[in-house]
Amino acid sequence: WIDLSTGMNRRPWAAPAPSAHALTALPTGADMHGLCAAAAARFGCRSDEVLPLAGASAAIQLLPHVLSGYHASVLSPTYNEHAASLGAAGWQVSQVTEPLRLAAADLAVIVNPNNPDGRSFTPAEITDIAGMVTHLLVDESFADARPDLSVAGKRPENVTVLRSFGKFWGLAGLRLGFAIGAPDLLARLSERAGPWAVSGPAIQIGTAALADDAWHADTLVWLSEAALHLDQIVTPHWPLVGGTHLFRLYQTPDAETARDQLARAGIWSRAFPWHKHWLRLGIPGNREEFERVRAALTAAG
């Protein structure tokens, strides 16, 4: 199988084996400080504004219990765990389609760039939206490939940013992500997450990967070119709806049928129960995977 159902980089950072210390000892304060410093340097913020967690998903689950308020608005359609986690925590959740309809929310949520359609907002636009709400949560899980969109380094005071590690670096199983926000909020979030919320191997590998400037720069170029190459293969069959440099979204005659056609060639994709035409494909990781996609689409006619 070629799993293109997620937005994970299929050319991952080459992680070394964790050291004996990382595997056998509990993480120390110095270990965590090193990871926070590496993340802060990568994201352009202060290290005391960074909290490592077991993936951005951990922050999505925990933040509704830490933030105060009653009414949350989520800019949709988007990753459904935001609305689900807020609802489970007792928030009244509205899903809206236009940024102006976020106004006056106790908490507004924007995924930037968005999953699955790639809708994006500039830092200036995010700042304007932040001025309309009490608190703004900006999920930048797919922003590593578009650093120009990030507000992590110029965050308004009422904004909390989420960053994934596993997607861009291609190490989803490591379970690492970051919340970037006000230190007092992060302290409450850390208390909620409990001690040792990030494993020793995740700290060690994450610290080294975040500091690898050459790999980061090369991967930015690779992903941007690979996304365009995938479009060249797919758009003669299905029009492009949108996407990011980590996934693309296409309009099909019937998404379930298209998904099954690809599955017969050993390629797994993502259809959405709320839209019968949209199909999302992650970016193949090498020439062979691209050719598998091309052959599957050609065979389907």
Side-chain angles (χ1 to χ4, degrees):
W1 284 94
I2 300 173
D3 186 4
L4 301 183
S5 66
T6 70
M8 306 297 176
N9 182 3
R10 293 183 61 80
R11 291 182 72 204
W13 187 75
S19 68
H21 167 79
L23 288 170
T24 61
L26 288 172
T28 66
D31 296 332
M32 284 291 282
H33 178 76
L35 176 58
C36 289
R42 174 60 57 202
F43 303 143
C45 58
R46 302 193 316 265
S47 59
D48 67 342
E49 295 178 305
V50 178
L51 176 66
L53 292 163
S57 59
I60 294 171
Q61 295 290 322
L62 295 173
L63 275 168
H65 299 279
V66 174
L67 293 167
S68 59
Y70 173 72
H71 177 242
S73 291
V74 180
L75 191 64
S76 301
T78 194
Y79 184 51
N80 60 18
E81 285 303 312
H82 283 288
S85 296
L86 286 161
W91 288 74
Q92 182 188 61
V93 182
S94 300
Q95 300 194 52
V96 303
T97 58
E98 295 300 328
L100 288 176
R101 299 190 64 187
L102 297 170
D106 297 322
L107 172 64
V109 180
I110 293 178
V111 179
N112 188 43
N114 190 44
N115 173 17
D117 59 5
R119 182 182 188 180
S120 62
F121 298 89
T122 66
E125 290 171 326
I126 291 293
T127 299
D128 288 343
I129 295 168
M132 303 188 303
V133 302
T134 302
H135 198 92
L136 177 61
L137 176 62
V138 183
D139 184 344
E140 294 185 351
S141 289
F142 293 99
D144 289 287
R146 286 291 309 276
D148 57 302
L149 297 178
S150 177
V151 295
K154 39 192 172 292
R155 178 186 56 81
E157 290 185 5
N158 66 329
V159 171
T160 300
V161 176
L162 304 185
R163 294 295 286 257
S164 172
F165 175 83
K167 295 178 176 64
F168 183 80
W169 276 268
L171 299 172
L174 203 64
R175 303 314 306 139
L176 179 63
F178 303 92
I180 301 165
D184 60 335
L185 172 61
L186 297 186
R188 300 197 302 274
L189 185 58
S190 178
E191 183 177 0
R192 187 85 185 192
W196 306 298
V198 179
S199 72
I203 293 171
Q204 183 181 81
I205 292 171
T207 302
L210 287 163
D212 192 340
D213 293 335
W215 183 91
H216 185 272
D218 178 70
T219 301
L220 286 176
V221 175
W222 155 259
L223 288 173
S224 64
E225 294 178 348
L228 292 175
H229 185 44
L230 183 62
D231 289 344
Q232 291 171 345
I233 293 172
V234 177
T235 53
H237 305 271
W238 304 323
L240 178 70
V241 176
T244 73
H245 292 161
L246 286 163
F247 61 82
R248 312 302 279 170
L249 184 68
Y250 301 102
Q251 179 91 359
T252 70
D254 181 83
E256 290 189 0
T257 299
R259 179 196 60 195
D260 293 348
Q261 290 171 345
L262 290 171
R264 283 191 284 272
I267 300 165
W268 194 234
S269 55
R270 178 75 163 92
F272 301 92
W274 42 267
H275 200 296
K276 66 179 183 179
H277 298 296
W278 283 2
L279 190 79
R280 192 186 68 195
L281 286 174
I283 309 301
N286 54 49
R287 182 174 180 176
E288 179 185 353
E289 292 184 357
F290 278 111
E291 291 308 311
R292 283 267 298 274
V293 174
R294 188 193 305 275
L297 292 174
T298 301

